[in-house]
Amino acid sequence: MGVSSWLVLGDEDPEYALAEAAGQSGLVSQLRPLIVELSAPGDLVFDPFAGWGTTLVACAAEGRRGVGLEINESRAEEARRRVESCPGQRMLWGDARKPPLEQGSVDLVLCDLPYFGTDLDVEAAGTGQMYALRDYDDYLSALDETFAAIAGVMRPGAYAVIAVQNRRVAGTFVPLAWDASRVLGRHLTLGDERVHLYERKVGGDDPMLSNRSHEYLLMAVKPAP
């Protein structure tokens, strides 16, 4: 077996660190190996939840064409400015449920889900911003619609890597990663699981709480028709 199911992540490459979005923008150093493994030079990589454009920076470093979509207009503009100097990258403002791409044009989907139950963008209710959804069933329905749209723009044989953690919201465990994989499996063929591990301090003595220093990578592929 040639692929490890887990990887301990190190620090970000200083060349790509984004101090103003630390902890929210992802790591270029985390994404580059996935891009190399799952796509070829010149391929089109799509991030439907592009945030601050980290995926596009990684695409530029590895010679891929990247398209990022972000529903928060100001964040999309910040990301666009960030990738101005990155060749072959496009950062767009828009809804992931309506990707402005041709059907079958995407070679790799790579993204981090907007997590349920955060305090980000809560004022954006009704705009399509998934962070703002307060009902979990509504959130999963939005994911279902999004994954259907993403599958539509992928070519047969293209891979998707969706990064997501389980959550604790208002003291309640929410199996977001597992529910998201179930929804994703309606539209793409799920592969084996991978886990990225982070260095986080351990504290407290409640056996029902951990430092949850890992996230799941949901690996999927679009089957041939």
Side-chain angles (χ1 to χ4, degrees):
M1 300 295 290
V3 179
S4 175
S5 65
W6 58 273
L7 176 68
V8 179
L9 299 175
D11 295 330
E12 175 66 293
D13 185 329
E15 179 182 356
Y16 302 116
L18 191 62
E20 60 269 29
Q24 297 179 13
S25 64
L27 304 176
V28 173
S29 58
Q30 172 187 8
L31 301 177
R32 290 179 67 176
L34 293 166
I35 290 170
V36 170
E37 178 188 359
L38 301 171
S39 67
D43 274 358
L44 181 62
V45 180
F46 176 44
D47 185 343
F49 304 109
W52 282 268
T54 300
T55 298
L56 304 190
V57 176
C59 284
E62 298 299 343
R64 273 64 167 176
R65 297 173 296 128
V67 175
L69 196 60
E70 169 56 44
I71 199 167
N72 181 302
E73 186 174 9
S74 62
R75 194 172 300 141
E77 177 58 24
E78 290 179 41
R80 187 192 63 77
R81 290 195 295 267
R82 184 186 184 193
V83 303
E84 279 180 344
S85 60
C86 297
Q89 309 308 306
R90 289 191 293 149
M91 185 69 207
L92 307 174
W93 171 44
D95 191 330
R97 293 171 293 185
K98 302 174 183 178
L101 298 171
E102 292 184 8
Q103 298 288 290
S105 65
V106 170
D107 300 296
L108 172 64
V109 172
L110 185 57
C111 69
D112 197 335
L113 288 188
Y115 289 174
F116 176 77
T118 73
D119 58 0
L120 295 172
D121 298 328
V122 293
E123 74 287 348
T127 65
Q129 172 58 261
M130 292 180 64
Y131 280 133
L133 295 174
R134 302 291 94 185
D135 181 86
Y136 191 49
D137 287 337
D138 289 345
Y139 175 91
L140 293 178
S141 293
L143 266 191
D144 191 36
E145 188 177 353
T146 300
F147 288 155
I150 290 171
V153 299
M154 295 169 64
R155 64 165 175 79
Y159 294 104
V161 182
I162 314 294
V164 58
Q165 288 185 0
N166 291 320
R167 299 273 298 155
R168 184 167 291 277
V169 179
T172 299
F173 179 79
V174 178
L176 175 56
W178 304 332
D179 287 338
S181 65
R182 175 174 52 82
V183 176
L184 181 63
R186 298 172 185 165
H187 307 284
L188 300 172
T189 300
L190 293 174
D192 210 342
E193 65 182 7
R194 297 194 192 182
V195 180
H196 276 178
L197 305 170
Y198 300 87
E199 292 288 347
R200 287 182 184 162
K201 293 182 179 180
V202 178
D205 56 5
D206 186 342
M208 296 296 286
L209 298 175
S210 75
N211 64 337
R212 199 179 313 112
S213 59
H214 62 277
E215 69 179 349
Y216 293 95
L217 302 185
L218 307 182
M219 312 294 296
V221 64
K222 182 171 180 176

